[in-house]
Amino acid sequence: MTDSRVPRRRRFLVCEPRHFGVQYAINPWMHPDTPVDVDLAQEQWQALIRAYRAHGHDVAAVAPVPGLPDMVFAANSAVVVAGRVFGSLFHAPERRPESAHYETWFKAAGYDVYRPENVCEGEGDLVWTGRYVLAGTGFRTTREAHREAQEFFGHPVVSLALVDPRFYHLDTALFVLEDEGEGNIAYYPEAFSPGSREVLERLYPDAVLATREDALAFGLNSVSDGRHVFIAPQAEALAARLDAHGYVPVPVDLSEFLKAGGGIKCCTQEIRS
């Protein structure tokens, strides 16, 4: 089955963790008294960039800004579908200045950027599936932002309620395995409300389900190109299930970023032109 999976070349936007640190607490993973090894974070991030490029993907970078330690989490900056950029409005005041720097990059690259009126944290909570947008809410992005996104993109938006504060963004509990054809996802059911679980079961009856241990290792904060899945090596059970479904796990350790509640996908914005 593995040979039938076809990778699709992606374009990613990232931000070097030059100023990364845990300087405040805005999710259960963050403890300002926990030291961060900035050199190790740099090494792990560079390993991710090398892995992307080794698998044929393009990588562009936004310059990091002093005083914005979470700017490394590029996924939260926007959602880009068919060259249309839906920007961000962060819930936490500490992160709100990030939006302007990413907007500047997008505009310099020739994109127009829509500024949401309601709290919306980019691909953290808005996940493009190829047919519609899966949209998380409960801790960060609001349902009003879901409606804004639907009006902006002209694609259906499916709202999903998150119920566990450890999985405060949709991209900590779910990722898209492939966004062509019927598509498929991997997710951790217990991160969602009962009604949202039923929705996911109906939309994706063949989804790859993760264990609690996989989810706590941020195994669902992964990036797939349709064949290769860049995944936390600690999510061993999930990697085995992906392999059994014909995907090729590519382990990349970003464990230093877990101290801020981040991982592979958090560090990766996909630009869909």
Side-chain angles (χ1 to χ4, degrees):
M1 183 186 295
T2 299
D3 291 340
S4 68
R5 303 288 184 195
V6 179
R8 184 169 64 83
R9 188 174 185 177
R10 312 279 175 157
R11 187 179 184 216
F12 298 133
L13 181 63
V14 299
C15 181
E16 179 192 352
R18 191 183 311 163
H19 309 294
F20 174 63
V22 180
Q23 299 175 8
Y24 43 78
I26 58 173
N27 67 56
W29 301 90
M30 302 179 81
H31 302 283
D33 57 344
T34 300
V36 170
D37 187 332
V38 178
D39 290 337
L40 177 57
Q42 282 274 7
E43 292 173 10
Q44 292 181 342
W45 183 84
Q46 291 289 351
L48 177 64
I49 305 310
R50 288 195 299 271
Y52 285 152
R53 288 176 171 153
H55 287 82
H57 303 302
D58 296 325
V59 181
V62 171
V65 177
L68 297 178
D70 283 342
M71 196 170 167
V72 63
F73 300 130
N76 305 152
S77 67
V79 182
V80 186
V81 178
R84 306 190 71 192
V85 182
F86 187 92
S88 61
L89 176 60
F90 286 94
H91 180 268
E94 294 92 338
R95 296 199 66 185
R96 289 197 170 183
E98 296 176 31
S99 300
H101 297 288
Y102 278 98
E103 181 175 327
T104 297
W105 186 93
F106 277 113
K107 288 183 175 179
Y111 297 90
D112 291 327
V113 179
Y114 174 83
R115 295 182 180 179
E117 297 178 2
N118 299 283
V119 170
C120 181
E121 300 201 345
E123 284 190 325
D125 277 322
L126 300 181
V127 177
W128 173 244
T129 69
R131 292 184 294 164
Y132 40 78
V133 177
L134 297 178
T137 192
F139 299 102
R140 301 289 184 84
T141 300
T142 66
R143 288 185 182 272
E144 291 76 14
H146 295 182
R147 289 191 282 270
E148 275 191 87
Q150 181 166 280
E151 288 299 312
F152 179 73
F153 288 121
H155 290 287
V157 171
V158 180
S159 293
L160 301 168
L162 297 163
V163 296
D164 187 329
R166 293 170 298 181
F167 309 112
Y168 57 92
H169 273 157
L170 184 61
D171 73 357
T172 66
L174 176 154
F175 73 96
V176 174
L177 284 163
E178 48 193 293
D179 57 10
E180 295 184 345
E182 292 299 311
N184 202 8
I185 65 170
Y187 70 101
Y188 174 51
E190 301 305 314
F192 298 91
S193 70
S196 295
R197 270 179 281 178
E198 289 187 25
V199 170
L200 290 171
E201 288 167 4
R202 288 191 173 93
L203 290 176
Y204 296 101
D206 299 319
V208 178
L209 301 183
T211 66
R212 178 177 179 272
E213 290 72 24
D214 293 328
L216 291 173
F218 262 43
L220 291 158
N221 196 244
S222 296
V223 171
S224 172
D225 65 12
R227 175 181 169 87
H228 308 102
V229 179
F230 303 88
I231 185 171
Q234 296 83 2
E236 296 178 1
L238 179 57
R241 291 185 184 185
L242 292 170
D243 180 73
H245 281 76
Y247 298 95
V248 180
V250 180
V252 184
D253 185 8
L254 260 64
S255 54
E256 198 65 15
F257 295 93
L258 190 56
K259 295 175 180 178
I264 292 171
K265 177 56 191 172
C266 289
C267 292
T268 311
Q269 163 73 235
E270 182 172 353
I271 302 176
R272 306 171 188 86
S273 299

